[in-house]
Every structure is written in structure tokens, then in C-alpha cells.
Amino acid sequence: MSFIRKFRRDEEGATAIEYGLIAALIAVAAISAMSSLGSSISGTMTNASSAMTNAGS
């Protein structure tokens, strides 16, 4: 019976899971932000390249 009481009070595993979930959410947010930023930068570079090509003509 004391094992069950001790097991219920032990929150070490729950804390590790919470930290894991927080890390996963941060990773998802970072990946989506970088993906969006990458597309934006790619479009900007394409526009700059086109502008320089047209300026030389």
C-alpha cells in the first residue's frame, strides 16, 4: 500500500513529460516561423534578381 502512495506522490515523470511537450511546441513554432520566413526571403531575392536583370537590359 505504501508503494501506491509513494507512486502517486512522485511527479518526476510528469515534469519530464511537461518539459518534453513544451520543447515540442517550441520546435513546431520555430519550424513554422522559419519556413514562413524562408519563403518570404526567397520571394524578396527573386524580386531583387529580376529588378537587377531588368535594369541591365
Side-chain angles (χ1 to χ4, degrees):
M1 195 67 163
S2 66
F3 173 74
I4 294 172
R5 284 189 206 130
K6 185 177 177 183
F7 185 73
R8 286 184 65 199
R9 282 186 292 194
D10 185 18
E11 295 182 4
E12 207 168 290
T15 303
I17 291 171
E18 290 169 357
Y19 284 134
L21 289 172
I22 290 169
L25 288 172
I26 290 171
V28 167
I31 289 169
S32 63
M34 288 179 202
S35 174
S36 157
L37 184 63
S39 298
S40 175
I41 290 174
S42 176
T44 302
M45 292 299 170
T46 302
N47 291 341
S49 175
S50 296
M52 286 191 275
T53 302
N54 293 337
S57 298

